[in-house]
Amino acid sequence: MRSIIDIYDITTNEISELIKTAIKIIEDPAAYMEKCRGKILANLFFEPSTRTRMSMESAMYSLGGNVINMNNPASSSISKGETLSDTIKVVSNYADIISIRHPLEGAALAASRSAAVPVINAGDGGHAHPTQTLADLLTIYREKGHITDMTVGFCGDLKYGRTVHSLINALLRYEGIKFVLISPYELRLPDYVKRVITEKQAALFETDSLDDAIKDLDVLYMTRIQKERFPDANDYRRLKGSYILDKTSLDGAKNDLTVMHPLPRVDEISSAIDADRRACYFKQVANGKYMRMALIMKLLSTDWQSRETNADSTLEQSINEFECSNPRCITGSETNLERIFERTEGSVSDWKCLYCESAPIKK
Ligand code: NCD
């Protein structure tokens, strides 16, 4: 069963296929109204969401399908101690496709291993968020006309910002992308994402100053400081408000800069710039629905289901020999889950947790 857990699960050709399909949907939505007639999407949201949940729902309805929701774990059998794996086995009987958001990293992969239907990761802790990346890629494509040869700045919480991790992994496939990482020292990109940038020898520049970096950027991807992921609330209080994009900071930027943000924003983008033509974050929301329509439709097709995917890894695996070092990994709470670690490819060969990609510790 083919699932979409991270952007790695979609080939570059398939990204182009999704973009083409989304553009066709935008041009003629009526032609897609019956594409998923009779199909059911189950939205399992263990964490708050406005856009992702509602856009999945809106996407499925616009394809003629139906949606069932589990938004409140407190009112479901999870509160009675049911494992994620059992919940997924049960929900597989009610739906043709599942989308899941969970606060623990690796939860979507764990869910897909118990599911009898395709699973879409709608955000797993601070790890990955591939459908937001599809929205982001369509936005870049529509704004710039291409996804190559540009300088892309990521600003804010690069440590816990899952949308940043998935988008960087996607952009690394395109030629001529320069990455500018703008964050406080404590919120730098995790090693497992940075390692991929280094492996691919992409141009990379790190700074803590948005004002210094902004003049060179073609795309600026702002992010919220992820309050809910901080183990220590004092650290959050110290770091919140680190960056605020306002009219003055935009004065130093290119005229054709594309300002993006996955939303919700807190205070990192002043609403005074919403009317600036460079502000594209509400366009991203619209693009997200169309890309999710394209994804749901394709993932339910026998064509996509029959294709080879990365799911069957050829990397060397070690099972139950290590523990994951990440306290927010699903392996810490889903005790019946096999603890699988893979040896990474490339010059820096190291073990990583299959679920959350963090380094393991020897048992
Ligand atoms: C993001 C998320 O949930 O990761 N929002 C979204 O899905 N559009 C960003 C965030 O919560 O900051």
Side-chain angles (χ1 to χ4, degrees):
M1 186 58 57
R2 182 171 181 193
S3 288
I4 303 300
I5 304 305
D6 205 344
I7 202 73
Y8 305 121
D9 297 318
I10 311 176
T11 67
T12 312
N13 283 341
E14 286 172 341
I15 290 177
S16 305
E17 191 182 334
L18 291 172
I19 289 177
K20 276 195 198 115
T21 307
I23 290 171
K24 282 193 195 151
I25 296 172
I26 294 167
E27 287 164 359
D28 186 9
Y32 293 82
M33 265 165 44
E34 298 294 328
K35 294 284 184 195
C36 290
R37 175 70 63 209
K39 300 285 184 199
I40 297 177
L41 163 75
N43 262 333
L44 302 188
F45 276 63
F46 295 79
E47 211 185 40
S49 170
T50 305
R51 269 151 297 274
T52 306
R53 188 182 64 74
M54 292 187 75
S55 69
M56 290 298 293
E57 195 161 342
S58 177
M60 193 51 162
Y61 282 125
S62 298
L63 292 165
N66 288 298
V67 184
I68 52 177
N69 279 297
M70 200 278 307
N71 297 329
N72 182 4
S75 70
S76 75
S77 288
I78 292 149
S79 64
K80 301 177 188 166
E82 184 165 66
T83 60
L84 177 62
S85 154
D86 282 0
T87 303
I88 296 292
K89 281 184 190 147
V90 170
V91 175
S92 293
N93 293 287
Y94 306 146
D96 301 284
I97 185 164
I98 294 174
S99 99
I100 178 170
R101 169 170 289 192
H102 199 284
L104 293 176
E105 286 142 35
L109 179 62
S112 71
R113 295 172 75 90
S114 305
V117 297
V119 171
I120 297 177
N121 182 7
D124 60 328
H127 180 227
H129 194 349
T131 66
Q132 181 62 45
T133 298
L134 295 176
D136 300 340
L137 292 172
L138 179 60
T139 306
I140 295 174
Y141 181 78
R142 292 183 79 193
E143 292 307 309
K144 303 287 190 206
H146 53 90
I147 316 181
T148 52
D149 303 303
M150 57 184 94
T151 303
V152 183
F154 289 88
C155 177
D157 187 345
L158 310 189
K159 178 176 182 183
Y160 297 119
R162 55 193 172 195
T163 62
V164 169
H165 307 160
S166 294
L167 182 55
I168 288 178
N169 280 323
L171 288 176
L172 277 166
R173 300 170 180 189
Y174 296 88
E175 292 291 314
I177 305 283
K178 289 187 191 143
F179 293 89
V180 180
L181 306 180
I182 308 152
S183 75
Y185 183 81
E186 294 91 331
L187 298 178
R188 279 164 310 154
L189 203 63
D191 283 345
Y192 71 84
V193 189
K194 207 159 162 195
R195 183 171 55 199
V196 192
I197 303 182
T198 318
E199 288 286 344
K200 299 235 163 141
Q201 299 180 341
L204 171 67
F205 179 69
E206 288 187 277
T207 175
D208 60 6
S209 167
L210 176 59
D211 288 338
D212 286 353
I214 199 164
K215 60 183 187 312
D216 298 320
L217 303 179
D218 301 301
V219 173
L220 170 59
Y221 196 93
M222 294 295 294
T223 61
R224 170 178 73 89
I225 310 286
Q226 305 275 303
K227 180 181 183 184
E228 67 278 27
R229 314 226 184 273
F230 278 74
D232 183 344
N234 290 322
D235 288 338
Y236 170 71
R237 277 193 286 275
R238 188 165 49 78
L239 293 166
K240 79 179 163 79
S242 291
Y243 300 100
I244 296 177
L245 184 70
D246 56 16
K247 281 189 162 170
T248 317
S249 30
L250 264 191
D251 280 348
K254 292 185 181 174
N255 284 334
D256 62 351
L257 173 69
T258 300
V259 179
M260 297 171 64
H261 190 305
L263 303 178
R265 70 174 148 188
V266 183
D267 55 4
E268 58 280 356
I269 298 184
S270 155
S271 55
I273 70 158
D274 290 358
D276 191 297
R277 68 179 185 291
R278 291 170 285 190
C280 292
Y281 24 93
F282 290 109
K283 292 186 186 170
Q284 254 170 291
V285 177
N287 289 331
K289 176 182 164 179
Y290 299 122
M291 281 303 251
R292 289 180 177 108
M293 283 177 77
L295 180 67
I296 292 171
M297 204 171 74
K298 297 283 180 184
L299 199 54
L300 283 172
S301 71
T302 41
D303 178 20
W304 270 46
Q305 281 300 328
S306 64
R307 289 183 194 172
E308 294 263 323
T309 68
N310 296 340
D312 299 321
S313 169
T314 52
L315 297 176
E316 185 189 349
Q317 291 194 337
S318 159
I319 298 177
N320 291 333
E321 215 188 304
F322 300 107
E323 293 284 356
C324 183
S325 61
N326 174 7
R328 301 176 313 276
C329 178
I330 186 69
T331 55
S333 65
E334 189 83 349
T335 44
N336 54 356
L337 201 62
E338 269 186 335
R339 280 141 180 73
I340 306 177
F341 295 88
E342 281 189 341
R343 206 193 274 280
T344 56
E345 270 173 336
S347 57
V348 197
S349 163
D350 248 327
W351 291 98
K352 66 171 184 178
C353 173
L354 184 72
Y355 299 93
C356 75
E357 303 185 65
S358 299
I361 37 181
K362 198 89 188 153
K363 266 199 202 167

